[in-house]
Amino acid sequence: MRRHLPIILVVLLTTVIVSLFGLGGHFGATRLIHAQQERQLHDLAALVLRRTENSVQFATDAMDQLQSRGLVGCAPSTLQSIRFNIYQLGALKDIRVTRPNGSVQCSALPETLEFDRVWPSRDEMSATADGNQLIFKVDQYAQTSVGVMTDVDAETSLVAIFALPPALLDVLPEELQYNANVIVELNNDQLLAALHPLAGTGMISQFDQFMATSEQYPFRAVLRVDARALSNWEQDIYWPIVSLVAALGLAVSLLISRLLLRPESPIAEIDRAIANEEFQPYMQPIFRLDTGQIVGAEMLARWVKPTGEVVPPFRFIKLAEESGRIEAMTWQLLKLALTQMKPLLSADKRFTISVNVTPHHFMQQGFADDLRREVHAAGVAYRQICIELTEREPFEDLGAAASVVSTLQGYGFKLALDDVGIGHSGLSHLQGLGANTIKIDKFFVDTVGRDATANSIIQMLVRLAHELHMDLVAEGIEDNQQMQALIECGVERGQGYVVSPPVAIPAFLDLFEQNRASAETPASVYVA
Ligand code: C2E
Ligand code: CA
Ligand code: CA
């Protein structure tokens, strides 16, 4: 299933994974940019706050200095000295002496009093955290100023008045300057200073706010930034991040695709083929050499892949054997063969199917019973089944093998010794196993009639078979000449391309029908 995963699925999977990663990249980049903006704008608000705090500290220091020099009071000479101080310090607009309720007693620069629009009473002023000063808004014509009041004694206080200049609030990066307000306001919301205040009145429909609140003083610095402007600010890293994450998604999907499309291990392929019944029994006729009459068939495995490719057994039998799959495969093949061959087997009770069984499988505990059960379940007579044992691999325990042979024969099954003459076992198998049939290997059949040695060996096998009450099948007969030579050697049955290669069962049944119809015809009719 994995191997045949259509490419379209892989493309779909890749698209989905890359999209998901891209989406993740989008959210990640947006969050990252947002966090970065937030940090920067908070830092800028903190900068404005620090500058404002420094201004207040400057005013407080100035008043402390006056006090330490005894320059507190409304006497003209005192005010004269204070005025000189204001002139020297530069940043202050005025210093006033006030009464306990906060009202002005006198001013160093009395003309400035004319510009006051509102002067708050003491209880409208906001105290610093340490309670040493009061801070308040001084609403003047054309300007807002800040007042810092410090008490000299129960009767007298000093107030320093200064403005927060636009330069102090000018902290915004160029891209945001026209889309944001920088505000310093008292904690009671009274505005002390604002830069770009116009932008705040209607032009910004939706804004994000960044704030820094003073720990010591009762005011805060606020940045109000147009949300739309913010979404365009510092987006340079957006696409690199999204692309990077999407590329990562592509790499991941390639990895997954590779895993999905990875060729199956050969063993997994065999398992899948067994599950899908891709191993099919082909049948090759076994026929009488004198008449050409088909008397049986050898079942030979073919792997018929879904593509239609027919794979020969040398490509999979060994692996199936080594991986312990041959048993399941053999039972599956036998079941299929018996089902499909059943009508023929019932119609011709002398017809025999030969089945190849590996020595290891043959020696497994319960093999004889399993075989009996399978054949019985198919309703086929035991004597119509011949088990072929190869002589290529010697049995470890010939005595035990012979005992299985006799058990099977006791049930009625037949046994054939395959590939005789080319194995390593000499004549020991022939003698010791007690099989019913000898199958002469194609190796000798190839040269029969042309090579005297081949003839001698075949004649010797024929004699031996008669002695041991066995019969013979010659394998791999490809032409009439070989057939004639084999008849002359005394061989009675054969198998080979001269009649038919192994074919799928429906084709075999057709072949069998034709063969039956011309039962009396000499074998030469079948020669291709
Ligand atoms: P085998 O049991 O000796 O089977 C005979 C082989 O000779 C078959 O090859 C058959 O197609 C081939 N053959 C028959 N007549 C001719 C001929 O005239 N000319 C030529 N050139 N070849 C001929 P196949 O089907 O390729 O099988 C090869 C071997 O694979 C078999 O040798 C058998 O050892 C093994 N095998 C096949 N099916 C099974 C199975 O179901 N189980 C087991 N355990 N082994 C199997
Ligand atoms: Ca065989
Ligand atoms: Ca053989």
Side-chain angles (χ1 to χ4, degrees), residues 38-52 168-169 171-172 182-184 209-214 220-224:
E38 201 154 301
R39 203 173 44 248
Q40 282 194 45
L41 289 164
H42 265 126
D43 287 352
L44 292 177
L47 178 63
V48 172
L49 187 74
R50 216 163 44 245
R51 289 179 180 177
T52 309
L168 186 145
L169 307 184
V171 291
L172 286 174
V182 185
I183 293 160
V184 178
Q209 184 162 292
F210 304 88
M211 195 187 296
T213 304
S214 174
R220 58 193 173 226
V222 183
L223 303 186
R224 289 197 184 120

Side-chain angles (χ1 to χ4, degrees), residues 403-416:
S403 142
V404 181
V405 170
S406 82
T407 305
L408 288 171
Q409 286 170 332
Y411 293 145
F413 292 109
K414 298 206 178 77
L415 266 297

Side-chain angles (χ1 to χ4, degrees), residues 298 356 388 418 439 475:
E298 180 176 3
N356 292 284
E388 292 196 5
D418 204 356
K439 292 194 85 171
E475 280 189 318

Side-chain angles (χ1 to χ4, degrees), residues 1 4-16 257 260:
M1 141 79 192
H4 302 286
L5 193 79
I7 206 80
I8 188 115
L9 259 183
V10 170
V11 172
L12 206 73
L13 190 82
T14 307
T15 315
V16 168
S257 305
L260 288 173

Side-chain angles (χ1 to χ4, degrees), residues 305-452:
K305 296 206 167 182
T307 53
E309 185 194 358
V310 178
V311 182
F314 79 88
R315 298 242 311 260
F316 58 87
I317 290 287
K318 192 98 201 117
L319 184 65
E321 237 183 297
E322 286 165 0
S323 62
R325 268 59 173 184
I326 191 80
E327 291 82 3
M329 186 189 290
T330 304
W331 294 131
Q332 189 178 60
L333 284 166
L334 182 65
K335 199 177 281 196
L336 288 168
L338 292 181
T339 310
Q340 294 173 59
M341 295 287 283
K342 179 73 193 302
L344 194 161
L345 288 163
S346 301
D348 182 351
K349 289 290 184 192
R350 284 190 306 184
F351 189 93
T352 310
I353 291 180
S354 297
V355 179
N356 292 284
V357 173
T358 63
H360 180 257
H361 188 189
F362 187 79
M363 291 312 294
Q364 267 178 18
Q365 187 78 32
F367 170 76
D369 290 333
D370 289 346
L371 179 69
R372 202 155 64 119
R373 197 171 39 248
E374 287 295 334
V375 178
H376 180 76
V380 172
Y382 300 146
R383 69 188 144 73
Q384 289 185 280
I385 301 299
C386 174
I387 299 300
E388 292 196 5
L389 288 174
T390 182
E391 219 201 42
R392 284 175 206 269
E393 305 156 52
F395 280 99
E396 274 171 26
D397 183 346
L398 196 60
S403 142
V404 181
V405 170
S406 82
T407 305
L408 288 171
Q409 286 170 332
Y411 293 145
F413 292 109
K414 298 206 178 77
L415 266 297
L417 200 53
D418 204 356
D419 312 317
V420 169
I422 61 156
H424 318 274
S425 43
L427 296 176
S428 59
H429 279 57
L430 259 184
Q431 197 188 9
L433 273 179
N436 308 79
T437 305
I438 292 173
K439 292 194 85 171
I440 304 171
D441 195 81
K442 182 175 180 299
F443 178 80
F444 305 106
V445 174
D446 280 344
T447 50
V448 73
R450 283 185 279 126
D451 174 7

